[in-house]
Amino acid sequence: MSVLLWVAVVLIGGAGSVVRFLADGVVGSAAGRDFPVGTLAVNLSGAVLLGLLTGLALGHDQALLAGTAAVGSYTTFSTWMLETQRLTEERQHGKALVNIVLSLAAGIAAAALGRLIGLQL
Amino acid sequence: MTSSAAVTSTGPATDSLKLTSYFGERQRCGSGFVADALLGLYGRHEIATSILLRGTEGFGLKHHLRTDRSLSLSEDLPLITVAVDTRPRIEAVLAPVLALSPAGLVTLERARLLADTTAPGDLPETAKLTVYLGRQERVFRVPAFVAVCDLLHRRGVDGATALLGVDGTAHGQRERAAFFSRNAEVPMMVIAVGPGEQIGQVLPELGGLLRRPLLTLERVQVCKRDGRLLAAPAARPGAGQWQKLMIYTSEATRHRGAPVHRAIVRRLRSAGISGATTQRGVWGFHGDHPPHGDRLLQWGRHVPAVTIVVDTQERIAAAFAVVDELASERGLVTVEDIPAVARSEPGRERSSFVMKIS
């Protein structure tokens, strides 16, 4: 494991979180709703991407950079949880439940879809 | 502390000015943040009372919604600073304040700074009383803001909301919140609205509770109480006059499932209103219910929320129509006249604004 690889993980990881911040902001403010669509969009697109990358069967280093560093920093579990908690705080329990169920169901489907696409390539 | 001396030397109730800035948390000037620069300025000038409040949701002239509902949109939340002191002392900071905040809104209003708690003779028909306290200030082992809200509720005042500051000055001394600190003296404020006569009766009692009372009195009009329409905002002669609408609601009051203040901000934004800011209080009431706030174990939040809208009286009338519809069951709504306003305009230097109150 070279130093260069770890530097690349740091840089790509940082870039991934910046892309997430921008994507979440754009989707969130465009939707302008009480439902956290920004985080949902980020997590679903990340799941497709990660599925696709594993489907491609990349080498170890490429998988680390693309999977762990890029997609790992792009998607966010903690924000999903925080925003769900915010919804319950505001007594929007229906929306909180939808946020959990939809993210799980659509997330697994998205990863499967990504993998399917990856295997075709 | 020279400022408190300056206040007391001019009598019990001084004709003072209140300078308010509405801007964004991320706004910078030079090497630092505008918020730090403003409070630094108030500290150096030993302003009698000033406070920095963080909003939870809002939008400005560009209509970008900032909200703590989502993590990414909670960057650059709205901020409000309020500074009150005697006229010459506020006029001395006016030009630097305008130069410091290139974007946002600055308003200048009349307020009476009370250095003691004997009720002044000429109370307005309806008054807004603001009590400035320290965060850890206590009255008979009870937090001072709880004691003050309780007293105001027992005396039948229309509403009171305690808001937490994160920075400010008290009696001319800068008090800034820090992460590792008790933050005992960091200012907070209780805003109460009620009939002038009632507020006047509460004043001496507040004097009995607080060691170093710091209070301001302003004139307001109550438009709605407990969701009931009393009167629409009274228009002043002449077009383009500025007004401030304040909507006191609670996190527990909902409109189609969401807290009503969220619905109000959304609707105001789509109605083309120039800007709105919501702040979450820590304790308070508006109407007949007893004061409330968050508990350790709870099902949903219970704290009060205040939404502030500053605009021309024509657009305030439009904003009030929205508020009147959404706050139909609960909520206290007041309106005030704003004598002087400066806001960012393309191609115009902020420092060229003249803000004067005759």
Side-chain angles (χ1 to χ4, degrees):
Chain A
M1 199 64 73
S2 69
V3 174
L4 195 69
L5 185 67
W6 285 115
V7 172
V9 169
V10 169
L11 291 177
I12 293 172
S17 57
V18 171
V19 173
R20 183 230 309 170
F21 176 73
L22 295 174
D24 186 4
V26 167
V27 174
S29 57
R33 295 181 169 279
D34 285 335
F35 195 79
V37 265
T39 307
L40 183 67
V42 160
N43 282 341
L44 292 186
S45 56
V48 173
L49 211 59
L50 196 59
L52 194 145
L53 290 169
T54 51
L56 286 178
L58 300 169
H60 181 73
D61 286 359
Q62 289 105 309
L64 176 72
L65 289 178
T68 310
V71 183
S73 62
Y74 171 69
T75 56
T76 167
F77 176 79
S78 48
T79 312
W80 174 37
M81 291 293 103
L82 178 79
E83 287 171 355
T84 308
Q85 191 267 343
R86 281 275 158 84
L87 285 172
T88 63
E89 223 177 48
E90 301 200 337
R91 296 173 176 78
Q92 308 199 55
H93 300 103
K95 280 180 183 158
L97 195 68
V98 169
N99 194 31
I100 291 171
V101 174
L102 187 66
S103 293
L104 285 176
I108 294 167
L113 177 74
R115 197 169 155 76
L116 206 68
I117 298 170
L119 290 172
Q120 304 296 316
L121 293 174
Chain B
M1 273 166 262
T2 49
S3 60
S4 54
V7 171
T8 36
S9 65
T10 44
T14 343
D15 172 31
S16 304
L17 294 180
K18 177 168 118 175
L19 182 62
T20 312
S21 308
Y22 302 84
F23 55 105
E25 194 166 30
R26 291 265 153 215
Q27 253 177 57
R28 301 187 76 100
C29 61
S31 57
F33 290 110
V34 170
D36 293 337
L38 281 176
L39 273 298
L41 179 76
Y42 296 152
R44 283 194 302 282
H45 281 256
E46 297 180 357
I47 294 297
T49 175
S50 66
I51 188 165
L52 173 66
L53 302 160
R54 277 187 93 200
T56 56
E57 188 167 64
F59 64 90
L61 261 188
K62 290 184 202 148
H63 279 106
H64 292 164
L65 181 71
R66 310 284 180 208
T67 169
D68 69 343
R69 189 175 42 78
S70 124
L71 193 67
S72 293
L73 296 179
S74 65
E75 271 296 307
D76 201 19
L77 284 173
L79 293 181
I80 301 176
T81 62
V82 180
V84 186
D85 208 326
T86 55
R87 180 183 282 265
R89 295 175 67 87
I90 289 294
E91 280 173 348
V93 293
L94 201 47
V97 164
L98 287 175
L100 275 178
S101 30
L105 177 76
V106 180
T107 66
L108 196 59
E109 295 159 87
R110 283 179 204 92
R112 278 153 107 187
L113 190 58
L114 305 185
D116 64 39
T117 49
T118 46
D122 50 338
L123 281 157
E125 196 186 332
T126 315
K128 181 169 89 173
L129 168 75
T130 310
V131 186
Y132 292 88
L133 305 160
R135 251 193 219 185
Q136 305 281 347
E137 201 174 323
R138 286 184 167 256
V139 174
F140 305 119
R141 297 211 191 120
V142 177
F145 65 89
V146 172
V148 168
C149 286
D150 195 45
L151 172 67
L152 290 162
H153 181 252
R154 274 185 282 124
R155 294 294 171 264
V157 164
D158 290 340
T161 307
L163 299 167
L164 213 55
V166 289
D167 200 345
T169 56
H171 301 280
Q173 182 96 29
R174 173 96 182 260
E175 301 290 353
R176 186 180 187 174
F179 195 73
F180 294 105
S181 165
R182 275 187 69 231
N183 294 323
E185 303 293 326
V186 174
M188 59 183 298
M189 70 205 287
V190 177
I191 305 176
V193 176
E197 211 179 310
Q198 234 167 10
I199 295 277
Q201 284 164 3
V202 175
L203 283 174
E205 293 191 82
L206 283 172
L209 285 182
L210 306 170
R211 224 163 295 136
R212 289 184 78 190
L214 198 52
L215 315 156
T216 63
L217 267 183
E218 292 161 274
R219 178 187 298 277
V220 291
Q221 181 204 337
V222 175
C223 299
K224 280 179 83 100
R225 191 190 301 129
D226 272 332
R228 222 160 11 91
L229 177 67
L230 299 177
R236 281 193 299 162
Q241 303 274 8
W242 285 73
Q243 288 181 324
K244 172 165 74 175
L245 203 59
M246 291 184 76
I247 306 125
Y248 303 85
T249 62
S250 160
E251 285 285 332
T253 310
R254 298 195 291 165
H255 178 265
R256 292 200 187 141
V260 69
H261 61 85
R262 299 253 191 236
I264 288 172
V265 169
R266 296 244 177 339
R267 283 279 298 277
L268 292 177
R269 185 166 165 243
S270 52
I273 303 303
S274 305
T277 305
T278 300
Q279 295 163 87
R280 207 175 269 137
V282 287
W283 193 255
F285 68 95
H286 47 85
D288 289 333
H289 55 275
H292 50 88
D294 279 347
R295 294 181 290 258
L296 198 57
L297 293 170
Q298 60 179 3
W299 191 245
R301 300 195 68 171
H302 299 271
V303 291
V306 190
T307 305
I308 301 176
V309 186
V310 179
D311 215 326
T312 57
Q313 61 184 10
E314 293 78 12
R315 275 199 292 263
I316 285 291
F320 182 72
V322 169
V323 172
D324 191 22
E325 184 199 325
L326 294 180
S328 53
E329 280 155 37
R330 289 196 121 174
L332 176 68
V333 183
T334 65
V335 71
E336 292 158 75
D337 290 332
I338 307 260
V341 165
R343 69 171 182 176
S344 43
E345 284 171 30
R348 201 167 157 203
E349 276 286 310
R350 278 291 281 268
S351 45
S352 71
F353 277 97
V354 181
M355 292 183 84
K356 246 200 153 80
I357 297 182
S358 51

